Amino acid sequence: MAPKNAPGDLPPSVYVLPQTAQLEALYTIIRDKETSRGDFLFYSDRIIRLLVEEGLNHLPVVPKTVQTPTGATYEGVGFEGKICGVSILRAGEAMEAGLREVCRSVRIGKILIQRDEETAQPKLFYSKLPQDIAQRYVLLLDPMLATGGSAIKAVEVLKEHGVPEERIIFVNLIASPEGLKNFCTKYPHTKVITGWIDEGLNEKAYIIPGLGDFGERRYVYRVYVLAHRLTSVGWAYRYCS
């Protein structure tokens, strides 16, 4: 059965977290414009961890036999192959900690994509990826899927580095129906793990109801404090020189 907030014609590659009352409560908190930054961090991190765990559920496994402390044999499974995370800067960095909490010593790459002012298309400005990324399963991290432009460009970059489309799992907190359609039409074999599918995009291509700018709500205070400190240091330097 499709989640209550999902359109009825979801692509088969899209997986939505179970829509429990607890999950809806978490989203209510982070959507609230009155929520403090501390609470926004805490509750968005809870959702991110749920998403990462669900993403790991979609990795292939192979049979594995182990001996328990009782001397018995247990027929279980183990993950097949290695994984890595790739965050789409800057908001995607917020999901790295959730991945590290459940995958010890996981390698993480970064991709910076911004809008080209001349073409109005997403453009790669920076990437740093593990050298052996072509041999790994990749969890692509970005909290918001609006039009899908950045995510589509990120998968293009990963494919250029030898990562097969089907070995990429795109993980995000909130998706728009338009973004899902664009992304899944372009990359039908890449799985998408999302926590919530919103109503759609407004005339400015913002997700509605959404939660605002995820990166700003998560980082703006830290940037302000850093800027304030740097300014204070500069004034102090000039005063004491």
Side-chain angles (χ1 to χ4, degrees):
M1 189 173 85
K4 67 178 183 180
N5 71 315
D9 56 346
L10 273 181
S13 58
V14 176
Y15 300 84
V16 185
L17 291 181
Q19 308 292 279
T20 63
Q22 178 182 195
L23 184 68
E24 188 166 7
L26 296 177
Y27 273 94
T28 302
I29 293 171
I30 67 172
R31 290 182 193 272
D32 188 349
K33 67 177 184 179
E34 303 299 332
T35 295
S36 68
R37 179 175 177 273
D39 282 348
F40 183 84
L41 293 173
F42 179 80
Y43 291 105
S44 61
D45 281 345
R46 284 187 60 184
I47 298 173
I48 289 168
R49 180 156 183 168
L50 292 173
L51 288 164
V52 170
E53 294 280 12
E54 179 60 25
L56 296 177
N57 282 336
H58 293 267
L59 294 174
V61 294
V62 293
K64 184 176 182 178
T65 302
V66 298
Q67 294 292 124
T68 75
T70 65
T73 298
Y74 179 75
E75 302 290 340
V77 297
F79 287 119
E80 181 183 36
K82 298 179 180 180
I83 70 167
C84 72
V86 173
S87 60
I88 301 177
L89 301 175
R90 68 177 172 168
E93 283 186 304
M95 305 178 72
E96 293 178 6
L99 178 58
R100 287 193 173 101
E101 286 175 359
V102 295
C103 298
R104 305 179 77 180
S105 303
V106 65
R107 301 190 67 183
I108 293 182
K110 300 178 187 294
I111 294 176
L112 174 61
I113 296 169
Q114 294 183 341
R115 184 173 178 267
D116 188 302
E117 296 301 329
E118 295 183 0
T119 65
Q121 297 299 313
K123 179 180 179 180
L124 175 67
F125 279 80
Y126 170 82
S127 67
K128 185 176 182 180
L129 304 171
Q131 290 185 350
D132 62 346
I133 194 169
Q135 284 73 53
R136 295 175 179 265
Y137 290 90
V138 178
L139 268 64
L140 182 62
L141 310 173
D142 195 12
M144 309 295 285
L145 175 63
T147 63
S150 294
I152 289 172
K153 183 64 178 180
V155 173
E156 178 185 319
V157 172
L158 293 175
K159 291 183 68 176
E160 289 173 352
H161 283 77
V163 183
E165 181 180 327
E166 59 273 12
R167 291 171 73 104
I168 302 169
I169 300 175
F170 178 39
V171 183
N172 66 88
L173 274 79
I174 295 178
S176 73
E178 297 93 329
L180 286 173
K181 181 180 179 180
N182 292 338
F183 183 86
C184 295
T185 299
K186 181 70 174 179
Y187 299 118
H189 302 298
T190 294
K191 292 182 179 179
V192 179
I193 312 297
T194 189
W196 210 270
I197 301 174
D198 273 12
E199 296 171 9
L201 303 176
N202 65 11
E203 64 280 0
K204 295 182 179 180
Y206 295 159
I207 300 176
I208 299 297
L211 52 73
D213 188 308
F214 187 94
E216 284 189 5
R217 294 189 67 183
R218 189 163 182 109
Y219 296 118
V220 69
Y221 177 76
R222 189 173 71 182
V223 172
Y224 168 79
V225 170
L226 178 59
H228 176 73
R229 288 175 178 172
L230 290 174
T231 302
S232 300
V233 169
W235 276 107
Y237 176 78
R238 286 196 293 269
Y239 179 78
C240 296
S241 297

